Amino acid sequence: MDQQGMDKRRLAVLVGCNYPNTRNELHGCVNDVLAMKETLLTRFGFKQDDMEVLTDEPESKVKPTGANIKAALRRMVDKAQAGSGDVLFFHYSGHGTRIPSGHPFKKDEAIVPCDFNLITDIDFRELVNQLPKGTSFTMISDSCHSGGLIDNEKEQIGPYSVSDDKPLAMETRTTMTPITSRALPFKTVLDHLSSLTGISTSDIGTHLLELFGGDAGLKFRLPAMDLMDLLEKMTARERHVDAGILLSGCQADETSADVGGGGGKAYGAFSNAIQTVLKENGGALKNKQLVMMARDVLERLGFQQHPCLYCSDQNADATFLSQP
């Protein structure tokens, strides 16, 4: 390994939300992040002390609330050094949702922490904008509606720029393994928050601010004009030098599958596809290669979801997690 590779710091935040003993319960999310943790340690040179793992298992001391996830991500960014080539990684397995954006025909993507304090695509864009120059932030989101979770990130592989001419996969699975969607409809999220606040309004921001105050997402905390200014600054950024890399489990209008929960070991379909590709290919893989191979695995197994890649042109051809 060259000196630069030796000096790189590899930092990770891994989040798995199974929502145990609720009507929204999933089964494979904690398994996803534990499998990824092992892969980071054994293949990609990450160290135990440079990883934070947040799960909602009963024995977990730090739960994956919205505030705790954002605090862990902020700590990770604060540790990164400018010009170092530091590799930052965030894996999320759990529910995703889409919420009104304030613009007709457009919705914002969000992940759903265990306390329903939504983290939106705008929050992830703001995080990427804070990265020290010369570092990278790779995000895997095995959740529904995860395409576009870093706002205004350039699409490399997605619904509008597919890299091959194969038709979309149809549902062909014949197994009886239980399959659960990792999607929470907006109404489900709104009804849950309304039950906590007791406020009768369809404005989700009102509920989030009432429940979480300053820990609510940027979209809900900033006045409309300030948010517009922020979004304009984001749009003006040069996307070809952007440091954000998003590998999403599906397109923005699709759902991601949570598999199992019966007798077998549960997992996320996309997370499992990533692990399968890495095991079948021992060498370094480009981000673009990894996503296309994961698409092939899911199609082969009959899953009707299409992983996407959002990043700069340069990072599309960069090695996944800068594997030595």
Side-chain angles (χ1 to χ4, degrees), residues 153-220:
E153 196 65 72
K154 184 174 182 180
E155 179 187 288
Q156 299 289 343
I157 300 171
Y160 307 113
S161 57
V162 180
S163 296
D164 60 14
D165 297 322
K166 290 187 290 188
L168 299 182
M170 300 302 292
E171 188 65 64
T172 57
R173 281 178 292 104
T174 57
T175 178
M176 298 301 291
T177 303
I179 304 294
T180 304
S181 169
R182 290 186 174 182
L184 284 182
F186 172 70
K187 186 177 185 305
T188 300
V189 176
L190 184 63
D191 288 348
H192 177 75
L193 294 173
S194 298
S195 71
L196 297 176
T197 63
I199 300 173
S200 179
T201 177
S202 60
D203 176 34
I204 196 168
T206 298
H207 298 292
L208 292 169
L209 289 171
E210 174 71 16
L211 292 168
F212 306 110
D215 287 328
L218 278 173
K219 172 182 171 64
F220 314 108

Coordinates of all heavy atoms in Angstrom, one line a residue, residues 153-220:
E153 N -27.6 15.4 -5.7 CA -26.4 14.6 -6.1 C -26.6 14.1 -7.6 O -27.8 13.8 -7.9 CB -26.2 13.4 -5.2 CG -24.8 12.8 -5.3 CD -23.8 13.7 -4.8 OE1 -23.6 14.0 -3.6 OE2 -23.0 14.2 -5.7
K154 N -25.6 14.1 -8.3 CA -25.7 13.7 -9.7 C -26.0 12.2 -9.9 O -25.4 11.4 -9.3 CB -24.4 14.1 -10.5 CG -24.5 13.8 -12.0 CD -23.3 14.3 -12.7 CE -23.4 14.1 -14.2 NZ -22.2 14.5 -15.0
E155 N -27.0 12.0 -10.7 CA -27.4 10.6 -11.0 C -26.5 9.9 -12.0 O -26.2 10.5 -13.1 CB -28.8 10.5 -11.5 CG -29.3 9.1 -11.9 CD -30.7 9.1 -12.6 OE1 -31.7 9.4 -11.9 OE2 -30.7 8.9 -13.8
Q156 N -25.9 8.8 -11.6 CA -25.1 8.0 -12.5 C -25.8 6.7 -13.0 O -25.7 6.4 -14.2 CB -23.8 7.6 -11.8 CG -22.9 8.8 -11.3 CD -22.3 9.5 -12.4 OE1 -22.1 9.0 -13.6 NE2 -21.8 10.7 -12.2
I157 N -26.4 6.1 -12.1 CA -27.3 4.9 -12.4 C -28.6 5.1 -11.7 O -28.7 5.2 -10.5 CB -26.6 3.6 -11.9 CG1 -25.2 3.4 -12.6 CG2 -27.5 2.4 -12.3 CD1 -24.4 2.2 -12.0
G158 N -29.7 5.1 -12.5 CA -31.0 5.3 -11.9 C -32.1 5.2 -12.9 O -31.8 4.7 -14.0
P159 N -33.2 5.7 -12.6 CA -34.4 5.5 -13.6 C -34.2 6.2 -14.9 O -34.8 5.9 -15.9 CB -35.6 6.0 -12.8 CG -35.0 6.9 -11.7 CD -33.6 6.3 -11.4
Y160 N -33.3 7.3 -14.9 CA -33.2 8.1 -16.1 C -31.9 7.9 -16.8 O -31.6 8.5 -17.8 CB -33.4 9.6 -15.7 CG -34.7 9.8 -15.0 CD1 -34.7 10.2 -13.7 CD2 -35.9 9.6 -15.6 CE1 -35.9 10.4 -13.0 CE2 -37.1 9.8 -14.9 CZ -37.1 10.2 -13.6 OH -38.3 10.3 -12.9
S161 N -31.0 7.1 -16.3 CA -29.7 6.9 -16.9 C -29.2 5.5 -16.6 O -28.2 5.3 -16.0 CB -28.7 7.9 -16.4 OG -28.6 7.8 -15.0
V162 N -30.0 4.5 -17.1 CA -29.6 3.1 -16.9 C -28.5 2.8 -17.8 O -28.4 3.2 -18.9 CB -30.8 2.2 -17.1 CG1 -30.5 0.7 -16.9 CG2 -32.0 2.6 -16.2
S163 N -27.5 2.0 -17.2 CA -26.3 1.7 -18.0 C -26.4 0.6 -19.0 O -25.5 0.3 -19.7 CB -25.2 1.3 -17.0 OG -24.9 2.5 -16.2
D164 N -27.5 -0.1 -19.0 CA -27.7 -1.2 -20.0 C -29.1 -1.2 -20.5 O -29.9 -0.4 -20.1 CB -27.3 -2.6 -19.5 CG -28.1 -3.0 -18.3 OD1 -29.2 -2.3 -18.0 OD2 -27.8 -3.9 -17.6
D165 N -29.4 -2.1 -21.5 CA -30.7 -2.1 -22.1 C -31.6 -3.2 -21.6 O -32.6 -3.5 -22.3 CB -30.5 -2.3 -23.6 CG -29.8 -1.1 -24.2 OD1 -30.0 0.0 -23.8 OD2 -29.0 -1.3 -25.1
K166 N -31.3 -3.9 -20.5 CA -32.1 -5.0 -20.0 C -33.4 -4.4 -19.5 O -33.4 -3.4 -18.8 CB -31.3 -5.7 -18.9 CG -30.2 -6.5 -19.4 CD -29.6 -7.4 -18.4 CE -28.9 -6.6 -17.3 NZ -28.2 -7.5 -16.4
P167 N -34.5 -5.1 -19.7 CA -35.8 -4.7 -19.2 C -35.8 -4.8 -17.6 O -35.0 -5.5 -17.0 CB -36.8 -5.7 -19.8 CG -36.0 -6.9 -20.0 CD -34.6 -6.4 -20.4
L168 N -36.7 -4.0 -17.0 CA -36.8 -4.1 -15.6 C -37.2 -5.5 -15.1 O -38.0 -6.2 -15.8 CB -37.9 -3.1 -15.1 CG -37.6 -1.6 -15.4 CD1 -38.7 -0.7 -14.8 CD2 -36.3 -1.2 -14.9
A169 N -36.7 -5.9 -14.0 CA -36.9 -7.2 -13.5 C -38.4 -7.4 -13.1 O -38.9 -6.5 -12.5 CB -36.0 -7.5 -12.3
M170 N -39.0 -8.5 -13.3 CA -40.3 -8.8 -12.9 C -40.2 -9.7 -11.7 O -39.2 -10.3 -11.4 CB -41.1 -9.5 -14.0 CG -41.2 -8.7 -15.3 SD -42.0 -7.1 -15.0 CE -43.7 -7.7 -14.6
E171 N -41.3 -9.7 -10.9 CA -41.4 -10.5 -9.7 C -41.5 -12.0 -10.1 O -42.5 -12.5 -10.6 CB -42.6 -10.1 -8.9 CG -42.6 -10.8 -7.5 CD -41.5 -10.4 -6.7 OE1 -41.4 -9.2 -6.3 OE2 -40.7 -11.2 -6.3
T172 N -40.4 -12.8 -9.9 CA -40.3 -14.2 -10.3 C -40.0 -15.1 -9.1 O -39.9 -16.3 -9.3 CB -39.3 -14.4 -11.4 OG1 -38.0 -14.0 -10.9 CG2 -39.6 -13.6 -12.6
R173 N -39.9 -14.6 -7.9 CA -39.5 -15.4 -6.8 C -40.6 -16.4 -6.5 O -41.8 -16.1 -6.5 CB -39.2 -14.6 -5.5 CG -37.9 -14.0 -5.5 CD -37.7 -13.1 -4.2 NE -38.6 -11.9 -4.3 CZ -39.7 -11.8 -3.6 NH1 -40.0 -12.8 -2.8 NH2 -40.4 -10.8 -3.6
T174 N -40.2 -17.7 -6.3 CA -41.2 -18.7 -5.9 C -41.0 -19.2 -4.5 O -41.8 -19.9 -4.0 CB -41.0 -19.9 -6.8 OG1 -39.6 -20.4 -6.7 CG2 -41.2 -19.6 -8.3
T175 N -40.0 -18.6 -3.8 CA -39.8 -19.0 -2.4 C -40.9 -18.5 -1.5 O -41.6 -17.5 -1.8 CB -38.4 -18.4 -1.9 OG1 -38.3 -18.8 -0.5 CG2 -38.4 -16.9 -2.0
M176 N -41.1 -19.2 -0.4 CA -42.2 -18.8 0.6 C -41.6 -18.0 1.7 O -42.2 -17.7 2.7 CB -42.8 -20.1 1.2 CG -43.6 -20.9 0.1 SD -44.9 -20.0 -0.8 CE -46.0 -19.7 0.6
T177 N -40.3 -17.6 1.6 CA -39.7 -16.7 2.6 C -40.5 -15.4 2.8 O -40.8 -14.8 1.8 CB -38.2 -16.4 2.2 OG1 -37.5 -17.6 1.9 CG2 -37.6 -15.6 3.3
P178 N -40.8 -15.0 4.0 CA -41.6 -13.8 4.2 C -40.8 -12.6 3.7 O -39.6 -12.4 3.9 CB -41.7 -13.7 5.7 CG -41.5 -15.1 6.2 CD -40.5 -15.7 5.2
I179 N -41.5 -11.7 3.0 CA -40.9 -10.4 2.4 C -41.7 -9.3 3.0 O -43.0 -9.3 2.9 CB -41.0 -10.4 0.9 CG1 -40.3 -11.6 0.3 CG2 -40.4 -9.1 0.4 CD1 -38.8 -11.7 0.5
T180 N -41.0 -8.3 3.6 CA -41.7 -7.1 4.1 C -41.1 -5.9 3.4 O -39.9 -5.9 3.1 CB -41.4 -7.0 5.6 OG1 -41.9 -8.1 6.3 CG2 -42.2 -5.8 6.2
S181 N -41.9 -4.9 3.1 CA -41.4 -3.7 2.5 C -40.8 -2.8 3.5 O -41.3 -2.7 4.7 CB -42.6 -2.9 1.8 OG -42.1 -1.6 1.4
R182 N -39.7 -2.2 3.2 CA -39.0 -1.2 4.1 C -39.5 0.2 3.8 O -38.8 1.2 3.9 CB -37.5 -1.3 4.0 CG -36.9 -2.6 4.5 CD -35.4 -2.6 4.5 NE -34.9 -3.8 5.2 CZ -33.6 -4.1 5.4 NH1 -32.7 -3.2 5.0 NH2 -33.3 -5.2 6.0
A183 N -40.8 0.3 3.5 CA -41.5 1.6 3.3 C -42.5 1.9 4.3 O -43.2 1.1 4.8 CB -42.1 1.6 1.9
L184 N -42.5 3.2 4.7 CA -43.6 3.7 5.6 C -44.3 4.8 4.8 O -43.7 5.9 4.5 CB -43.1 4.2 6.9 CG -42.7 3.2 7.9 CD1 -42.2 3.9 9.2 CD2 -43.8 2.3 8.3
P185 N -45.5 4.6 4.4 CA -46.2 5.7 3.7 C -46.3 7.0 4.5 O -46.3 6.9 5.7 CB -47.6 5.1 3.5 CG -47.5 3.6 3.6 CD -46.4 3.4 4.5
F186 N -46.4 8.1 3.8 CA -46.4 9.4 4.5 C -47.5 9.4 5.5 O -47.3 9.9 6.6 CB -46.6 10.5 3.4 CG -46.8 11.8 4.1 CD1 -45.8 12.5 4.7 CD2 -48.1 12.4 4.0 CE1 -46.0 13.8 5.3 CE2 -48.3 13.7 4.6 CZ -47.3 14.3 5.2
K187 N -48.7 8.9 5.2 CA -49.8 8.9 6.1 C -49.5 8.1 7.4 O -49.9 8.5 8.5 CB -51.1 8.4 5.4 CG -52.3 8.5 6.3 CD -53.6 8.0 5.6 CE -54.8 8.3 6.4 NZ -54.8 7.7 7.8
T188 N -48.8 7.0 7.2 CA -48.5 6.2 8.4 C -47.6 7.0 9.3 O -47.7 7.0 10.6 CB -47.8 4.9 8.0 OG1 -48.6 4.2 7.2 CG2 -47.4 4.1 9.2
V189 N -46.6 7.7 8.7 CA -45.6 8.5 9.5 C -46.4 9.7 10.2 O -46.3 10.0 11.4 CB -44.5 9.1 8.7 CG1 -43.6 10.1 9.4 CG2 -43.7 8.0 8.1
L190 N -47.3 10.3 9.4 CA -48.1 11.5 9.9 C -49.0 11.0 11.0 O -49.1 11.7 12.1 CB -48.9 12.1 8.8 CG -49.7 13.4 9.1 CD1 -48.7 14.5 9.6 CD2 -50.5 13.8 7.9
D191 N -49.7 9.9 10.9 CA -50.6 9.4 11.9 C -49.8 9.1 13.2 O -50.3 9.4 14.3 CB -51.3 8.2 11.4 CG -52.4 8.5 10.3 OD1 -52.7 9.7 10.2 OD2 -52.9 7.6 9.7
H192 N -48.7 8.5 13.1 CA -47.9 8.2 14.3 C -47.5 9.4 15.0 O -47.6 9.5 16.2 CB -46.6 7.4 13.9 CG -45.7 7.0 15.0 ND1 -46.0 6.1 16.0 CD2 -44.5 7.6 15.4 CE1 -45.1 6.0 16.9 NE2 -44.2 6.9 16.6
L193 N -46.9 10.4 14.3 CA -46.5 11.6 14.9 C -47.7 12.4 15.5 O -47.6 13.0 16.6 CB -45.8 12.5 13.9 CG -44.4 12.0 13.4 CD1 -43.9 12.9 12.3 CD2 -43.4 11.8 14.5
S194 N -48.8 12.4 14.8 CA -50.0 13.0 15.3 C -50.5 12.4 16.6 O -51.0 13.1 17.6 CB -51.2 13.0 14.3 OG -50.8 13.6 13.1
S195 N -50.4 11.1 16.7 CA -50.8 10.4 18.0 C -49.9 10.8 19.2 O -50.3 10.8 20.3 CB -50.7 8.9 17.8 OG -49.4 8.4 17.7
L196 N -48.6 11.2 18.9 CA -47.7 11.6 19.9 C -47.9 13.1 20.3 O -47.8 13.4 21.5 CB -46.3 11.4 19.5 CG -45.9 10.0 19.2 CD1 -44.4 10.0 18.6 CD2 -46.0 9.1 20.4
T197 N -48.2 14.0 19.4 CA -48.4 15.4 19.7 C -49.8 15.8 20.1 O -50.0 16.7 20.8 CB -48.0 16.3 18.5 OG1 -48.9 16.0 17.4 CG2 -46.6 16.0 18.0
G198 N -50.8 15.0 19.6 CA -52.2 15.4 19.8 C -52.6 16.6 19.0 O -53.7 17.1 19.3
I199 N -51.8 17.0 18.0 CA -52.1 18.2 17.2 C -52.8 17.7 15.9 O -52.4 16.8 15.3 CB -50.9 19.0 16.9 CG1 -50.2 19.4 18.2 CG2 -51.2 20.1 16.0 CD1 -48.8 20.1 18.0
S200 N -53.9 18.4 15.6 CA -54.6 18.1 14.3 C -54.2 18.9 13.2 O -54.6 20.0 13.0 CB -56.1 18.2 14.6 OG -56.9 17.9 13.4
T201 N -53.1 18.4 12.5 CA -52.6 19.1 11.3 C -51.9 18.1 10.4 O -51.4 17.1 10.9 CB -51.7 20.3 11.7 OG1 -51.2 20.9 10.4 CG2 -50.5 19.8 12.5
S202 N -52.0 18.4 9.1 CA -51.3 17.5 8.1 C -49.9 18.0 7.8 O -49.2 17.4 7.0 CB -52.1 17.4 6.8 OG -52.3 18.7 6.2
D203 N -49.5 19.1 8.5 CA -48.1 19.6 8.3 C -47.2 18.8 9.2 O -47.1 19.0 10.4 CB -48.1 21.1 8.7 CG -46.7 21.7 8.6 OD1 -45.9 21.2 7.7 OD2 -46.3 22.6 9.4
I204 N -46.4 18.0 8.6 CA -45.5 17.1 9.3 C -44.5 17.9 10.1 O -44.0 17.5 11.2 CB -44.9 16.1 8.4 CG1 -44.3 14.9 9.2 CG2 -43.8 16.7 7.5 CD1 -43.9 13.7 8.4
G205 N -44.1 19.0 9.6 CA -43.1 19.8 10.3 C -43.5 20.3 11.6 O -42.7 20.4 12.6
T206 N -44.8 20.6 11.7 CA -45.4 21.1 13.0 C -45.2 20.0 14.1 O -44.8 20.3 15.2 CB -46.9 21.4 12.9 OG1 -47.0 22.5 11.9 CG2 -47.5 21.8 14.2
H207 N -45.5 18.8 13.7 CA -45.3 17.7 14.6 C -43.9 17.4 15.0 O -43.5 17.2 16.2 CB -45.9 16.4 14.0 CG -47.4 16.4 13.7 ND1 -48.3 16.5 14.7 CD2 -48.0 16.5 12.5 CE1 -49.5 16.6 14.1 NE2 -49.4 16.5 12.8
L208 N -43.0 17.5 14.0 CA -41.6 17.2 14.3 C -41.0 18.3 15.2 O -40.2 18.0 16.1 CB -40.8 17.1 13.0 CG -41.1 15.8 12.1 CD1 -40.5 15.9 10.8 CD2 -40.6 14.6 12.8
L209 N -41.3 19.5 14.9 CA -40.8 20.6 15.8 C -41.4 20.5 17.2 O -40.7 20.8 18.2 CB -41.2 22.0 15.1 CG -40.4 22.3 13.9 CD1 -41.0 23.6 13.2 CD2 -38.9 22.5 14.2
E210 N -42.6 20.1 17.3 CA -43.2 20.0 18.6 C -42.5 18.9 19.4 O -42.3 19.0 20.6 CB -44.7 19.7 18.5 CG -45.4 19.3 19.8 CD -45.6 20.6 20.7 OE1 -45.5 21.7 20.2 OE2 -45.9 20.4 21.9
L211 N -42.2 17.8 18.8 CA -41.6 16.7 19.4 C -40.1 16.8 19.7 O -39.6 16.4 20.7 CB -41.9 15.4 18.6 CG -43.3 14.9 18.6 CD1 -43.5 13.8 17.6 CD2 -43.8 14.4 20.0
F212 N -39.4 17.4 18.7 CA -37.9 17.3 18.7 C -37.2 18.6 18.7 O -36.0 18.7 18.9 CB -37.4 16.5 17.5 CG -38.1 15.1 17.4 CD1 -39.0 14.8 16.4 CD2 -37.8 14.1 18.3 CE1 -39.6 13.5 16.3 CE2 -38.4 12.9 18.3 CZ -39.3 12.6 17.3
G213 N -38.0 19.7 18.5 CA -37.4 21.1 18.6 C -36.2 21.2 17.7 O -36.2 21.0 16.5
G214 N -35.0 21.6 18.3 CA -33.8 21.9 17.5 C -33.2 20.7 17.0 O -32.2 20.8 16.2
D215 N -33.6 19.5 17.4 CA -33.1 18.2 16.8 C -33.9 17.8 15.5 O -33.5 16.8 14.9 CB -33.2 17.1 17.8 CG -32.1 17.2 18.9 OD1 -31.1 17.8 18.6 OD2 -32.4 16.8 20.0
A216 N -34.9 18.5 15.2 CA -35.6 18.2 13.9 C -34.8 18.6 12.7 O -33.8 19.3 12.8 CB -36.9 19.0 13.9
G217 N -35.1 18.0 11.5 CA -34.3 18.3 10.3 C -34.3 19.7 9.9 O -35.2 20.5 10.2
L218 N -33.3 20.0 9.0 CA -33.2 21.4 8.5 C -34.5 21.8 7.8 O -34.9 23.0 7.9 CB -32.0 21.4 7.5 CG -30.6 21.6 8.1 CD1 -29.6 21.5 7.0 CD2 -30.5 23.0 8.8
K219 N -35.0 20.9 7.0 CA -36.2 21.3 6.2 C -37.4 21.8 7.1 O -38.1 22.7 6.6 CB -36.7 20.0 5.5 CG -38.0 20.1 4.8 CD -38.4 18.8 4.1 CE -39.9 18.9 3.6 NZ -40.0 19.8 2.5
F220 N -37.4 21.3 8.3 CA -38.5 21.7 9.2 C -38.1 22.9 10.1 O -39.0 23.6 10.7 CB -38.9 20.5 10.0 CG -39.1 19.3 9.2 CD1 -38.2 18.2 9.3 CD2 -40.1 19.1 8.3 CE1 -38.3 17.1 8.5 CE2 -40.2 18.0 7.5 CZ -39.3 17.0 7.6

